[in-house]
Amino acid sequence: MTTGVYTKTFGEICRDALRDAGISAVERPISAAHFAIATSKANDVLVAWQGLNIHLWAETEALLPLNPSQTEYTLGAGGDHCFTDYVYATASSDIAIAAVVIPCSVTAGMTIGDFVGIELSTNVRQWSTIAGISAGVSITINDALTAAVDSGATIYTYTTKIDRPVRVLGARGATQQVGNEQDLRAETRESYYKLVNKTDLSSDVNAWYYSPQLTNGKFLVWQSPRNCDQIVRFTFVKPQYVNQDQSENVLIPAEWFLAFKWAVAYELGVTYAIDPNRLISIAQKAQDSLSIAMSNDEEYDSINFQPGDCY
């Protein structure tokens, strides 16, 4: 006997929902018109679930290199340089201005076309892309250095910017990739904008505020960092993947398949105005299966109780 990962395609969920809602007969093929409506409802459900403040499976870590005198960063495909998977290296020797060959302590994991951010001696991080790699020795960049680089300067390379975070759950500040992290205080919009001296340079960032916006999110820090080697690591909720093709696997854990199917069946039942008693039954199944799935989507932490004085 072998065990494997249980998966379902987007098309299977949609077909099951249409049949369980009584819109399509079990023994008959699904019409193209019904299937098109089901796929639309299914993606509506996936996106709506983002508002439930759940989904541990969608949480991940990102790294945001900070710039001196900059307090606001855009997060998303068209935003500032912020990433999840990356390679951290340092310059293995001094590098002169206008150079394009960058001796690196590490090149493993880098690929041609990756973004590369290099700490300049002027305390600015210059971003370019990788044009060539000499394994274990150096990289060649597409844009010549605008200032010299000191030996040991920090270098980050990555392939893809993060998607716009749905929510940022927590953030920590550090000096460089190898520095100790310090928990940063989360602010509400009102409390952040009431903070004074936002642009004053500081050796440490102390607080943050995030606004999702529509296209790219806005991540704001307080105070402005003094050096470009400061970074923020944060935990965020990724946008739910919206399926484009019925053959794609649904990117949710298997324990959520029933909840997803019954939620789609309910939305279809409303659209097709099915029998009210049947709709009530589907609504109950949708609620029950969602509650079970959500109970499996919790983190548990220990609680300590200490005896104290009673009055």
Side-chain angles (χ1 to χ4, degrees), residues 21-295:
I23 296 163
S24 297
V26 174
E27 70 279 2
R28 297 181 64 84
I30 305 293
S31 72
H34 287 343
F35 192 79
I37 294 173
T39 57
S40 175
K41 295 299 181 184
N43 278 326
D44 285 345
V45 169
L46 287 175
V47 173
W49 273 356
Q50 291 182 157
L52 294 179
N53 198 25
I54 53 178
H55 309 331
L56 290 181
W57 73 82
E59 294 180 12
T60 192
E61 297 291 308
L63 186 146
L64 174 66
L66 302 180
N67 301 314
S69 303
Q70 182 177 345
T71 58
E72 182 177 307
Y73 299 82
T74 55
L75 302 183
D80 287 300
H81 294 281
C82 185
F83 36 86
T84 55
D85 299 316
Y86 63 94
V87 175
Y88 172 77
T90 57
S92 53
S93 64
D94 292 340
I95 310 170
I97 186 173
V100 293
V101 176
I102 312 298
C104 295
S105 60
V106 174
T107 61
M110 299 180 184
T111 58
I112 293 175
D114 280 357
F115 294 103
V116 53
I118 304 167
E119 178 188 358
L120 304 180
S121 59
T122 54
N123 197 29
V124 172
R125 189 173 301 279
Q126 178 178 335
W127 288 94
S128 182
T129 50
I130 298 177
I133 301 172
S134 178
V137 178
S138 65
I139 59 174
T140 301
I141 60 176
N142 283 305
D143 304 290
L145 294 175
T146 57
V149 172
D150 297 329
S151 178
T154 59
I155 299 171
Y156 293 95
T157 73
Y158 72 97
T159 303
T160 307
K161 295 178 181 179
I162 65 169
D163 292 324
R164 177 189 67 89
V166 176
R167 290 181 296 278
V168 173
L169 306 178
R172 291 89 57 204
T175 301
Q176 303 183 18
Q177 154 74 11
V178 295
N180 293 327
E181 295 183 355
Q182 173 185 335
D183 194 37
L184 304 181
R185 184 177 71 250
E187 299 284 353
T188 64
R189 184 181 189 280
E190 181 179 5
S191 63
Y192 176 83
Y193 283 104
K194 284 182 178 178
L195 292 172
V196 298
N197 304 326
K198 293 185 181 64
T199 58
D200 286 357
L201 297 179
S202 171
S203 57
D204 294 302
V205 173
N206 294 290
W208 61 276
Y209 162 69
Y210 177 67
S211 175
Q213 302 292 308
L214 290 177
T215 305
N216 290 309
K218 298 289 186 183
F219 188 87
L220 298 94
V221 299
W222 181 86
Q223 292 173 294
S224 177
R226 188 180 303 279
N227 302 303
C228 74
D229 61 0
Q230 293 190 59
I231 63 171
V232 168
R233 286 193 182 91
F234 59 87
T235 306
F236 73 101
V237 177
K238 299 179 291 185
Q240 175 61 50
Y241 177 72
V242 176
N243 293 85
Q244 304 294 323
D245 187 275
Q246 62 173 302
S247 64
E248 294 178 308
N249 286 337
V250 179
L251 299 185
I252 60 176
E255 58 267 23
W256 280 80
F257 288 165
L258 271 181
F260 185 31
K261 180 197 71 172
W262 285 116
V264 176
Y266 176 78
E267 294 299 326
L268 287 167
V270 172
T271 298
Y272 282 90
I274 64 173
D275 176 73
N277 290 328
R278 188 182 186 98
L279 187 62
I280 290 172
S281 176
I282 291 173
Q284 187 61 57
K285 285 182 174 295
Q287 182 58 52
D288 290 346
S289 56
L290 178 63
S291 296
I292 293 171
M294 289 182 66
S295 69

